[in-house]
């Protein structure tokens, strides 16, 4: 895969797990653990980010550009660190399997 392919936008349904998450001030704060889909509304609800000190949930309005190289979020590093840790397996919305069902996959 060449550099152009890595920077091409991707859908939240196809975003690779483990993609780095980068804050508005340029800090890499973790990696994508899971994208959350709101089944009833049939929209992206947010994502779980695997940070060094645990999981954090980033709400969909705070998620910016997504490509295979990184996911940009609208929060700066301090705001991200202020997000509460999420217990394993918990956050609003459904798991990635719900995304695939919602897209008819």
């Amino acid at each position: 895969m060449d550099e152009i392919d890595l920077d091409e936008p991707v859908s939240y349904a196809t975003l690779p797990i483990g993609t780095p998450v980068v804050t508005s001030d340029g800090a890499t704060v973790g990696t994508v653990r899971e994208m959350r889909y709101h089944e009833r509304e049939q929209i992206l609800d947010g994502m779980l980010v695997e940070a060094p000190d645990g999981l954090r949930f980033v709400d969909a309005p705070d998620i910016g550009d997504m490509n295979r190289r990184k996911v940009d979020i609208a929060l700066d590093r301090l705001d991200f660190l202020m997000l509460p840790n999420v217990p394993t397996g918990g956050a609003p919305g459904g798991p990635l399997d719900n995304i695939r069902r919602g897209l008819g996959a």
Side-chain angles (χ1 to χ4, degrees):
M1 186 175 293
D2 60 36
E3 294 296 316
I4 294 170
D5 292 333
L6 291 176
D7 291 326
E8 190 172 309
V10 296
S11 161
Y12 65 86
T14 61
L15 184 71
I17 300 303
T19 301
V21 176
V22 179
T23 61
S24 61
D25 54 351
T28 300
V29 291
T31 59
V32 174
R33 163 94 174 257
E34 184 177 318
M35 300 306 286
R36 291 293 178 122
Y37 179 75
H38 192 284
E39 194 166 351
R40 188 181 79 230
E41 299 293 327
Q42 297 186 358
I43 58 172
L44 174 65
D45 191 38
M47 71 178 165
L48 287 176
V49 176
E50 184 81 48
D53 61 346
L55 290 175
R56 289 200 168 79
F57 181 76
V58 176
D59 202 20
D62 293 322
I63 300 172
D65 294 335
M66 294 181 278
N67 59 51
R68 294 183 189 284
R69 185 183 309 277
K70 65 183 172 108
V71 175
D72 293 318
I73 59 174
L75 305 172
D76 64 25
R77 182 177 178 276
L78 183 57
D79 287 338
F80 176 82
L81 294 173
M82 300 283 289
L83 294 174
N85 282 346
V86 175
T88 301
L96 185 60
D97 288 343
N98 288 342
I99 292 173
R100 293 188 179 104
R101 276 197 301 267
L103 295 175

